Structures are given as C-alpha cells and as structure tokens.
Amino acid sequence: MFFYRQHATFESSFDADLAAMSLYQFSLSDKLVENFEVKSLNGITDNTVITVDHVTVAKEILRQKFLVLIFEWFDISIVRMEKYFSWWTSLGVWDNFTINSCHFEFVEYGDHVGNHPMVPTVEDTLENFLVRNWADTELYHYAKILFAEQAKLLP
C-alpha cells in the first residue's frame, strides 16, 4: 500500500510528503495506519487502542466470511479462487486452450497490479512494522492457517 500511495497522484488522498518518504521513514511516521486490517474488520475508524479481543473478533470474521488467498502463494490462490467460483469447469480452464493460456500467463506473469520495487529486508524497518502492526501480523499468520484449512473444503 505504501508504494501505491506514493504514486497515486490521481487519488484525492494523495500526500506529497508521503511520496517523498523512504519505507523506513514511513514505518516511523504518523502516516502509517497501524493494524489497518484488524481495525477494518472490527469497524474501527478512530484511534482506538487495538486489543487481543479485537484480534479474536477479526480472526472469527475472517474464518466465517472470507475465502482466504495468500499473495505469497499466488498460483495456488488463483486456482483456489477459480475452483471456488466454479470458473475452473464453467470456463474450461483445464480443456480450453485459449482460456488455459490466459490462466497460465496470469499466474506466471501476474497483471502488474502491485508491481513495485522489491525492498530489501532492513531489520529496523521490519521491526518497526511488526511492532506497530502486531495485530495485523497475528491476523496474517492466522490467515495462513485458514488457507490450509480451507484447502480441505474445496474439491
């Protein structure tokens, strides 16, 4: 989101100060919305202090309401989404050459959304994000567990 916000001059919320920041500076700034995902799932729009109870609610919402896809496992996630929505069979991903080629190209090369520079792991920057986003980090690890559990539910 940081890289998107740096370049989204067309957004009404574009912030030139953020555009000039390094990732490290952003990790320390007040422009970082801490625990954004947990806040969103709990309907929190202010500076409420996030607690373990908020994380528990977010996990339950994620478990009950979401098909979990993990960007790190992009290819598996795309296939899972296609199977969940029955696109695999209804669109002939497996036996229609044209569809299969599109599927392969999308999985292999992506659609350039989120095409941002790779950031080297810098310990201080990573530590800042982990501390300030402790609840989102916990939710992310839970999402990976759900990803595996949901695999058992899909054909």
Side-chain angles (χ1 to χ4, degrees):
M1 197 64 168
F2 167 71
F3 292 107
Y4 172 81
R5 289 180 58 202
Q6 277 194 310
H7 301 285
T9 55
F10 50 86
E11 295 277 357
S12 61
S13 62
F14 177 74
D15 184 339
D17 292 336
L18 181 108
M21 286 183 178
S22 70
L23 187 60
Y24 177 73
Q25 291 168 325
F26 176 68
S27 76
L28 297 172
S29 78
D30 62 352
K31 299 190 183 303
L32 172 66
V33 178
E34 295 179 7
N35 298 305
F36 178 79
E37 298 301 330
V38 170
K39 283 182 177 181
S40 295
L41 291 170
N42 279 274
I44 298 170
T45 58
D46 59 15
N47 291 327
T48 299
V49 175
I50 299 301
T51 66
V52 172
D53 290 340
H54 293 113
V55 177
T56 301
V57 168
K59 286 178 177 180
E60 188 60 20
I61 292 169
L62 195 64
R63 187 184 69 75
Q64 288 185 21
K65 305 286 184 184
F66 286 83
L67 172 65
V68 176
L69 307 172
I70 304 289
F71 189 75
E72 289 174 76
W73 304 320
F74 183 75
D75 52 347
I76 297 167
S77 292
I78 292 299
V79 170
R80 176 175 293 179
M81 185 170 51
E82 290 170 336
K83 287 182 176 182
Y84 180 81
F85 289 109
S86 299
W87 298 336
W88 192 261
T89 51
S90 68
L91 297 177
V93 172
W94 190 249
D95 38 334
N96 180 311
F97 179 75
T98 303
I99 299 291
N100 187 280
S101 294
C102 286
H103 171 268
F104 174 78
E105 285 183 26
F106 183 74
V107 168
E108 188 68 19
Y109 306 111
D111 65 356
H112 306 293
V113 171
N115 215 8
H116 53 75
M118 296 306 289
V119 178
T121 302
V122 178
E123 298 303 321
D124 291 342
T125 303
L126 180 60
E127 184 65 25
N128 291 339
F129 280 110
L130 291 176
V131 168
R132 294 186 67 190
N133 290 292
W134 68 271
D136 278 1
T137 301
E138 187 172 328
L139 184 64
Y140 172 70
H141 289 293
Y142 180 71
K144 289 175 114 174
I145 292 167
L146 280 180
F147 185 85
E149 289 177 3
Q150 288 180 355
K152 299 171 191 169
L153 303 175
L154 296 172

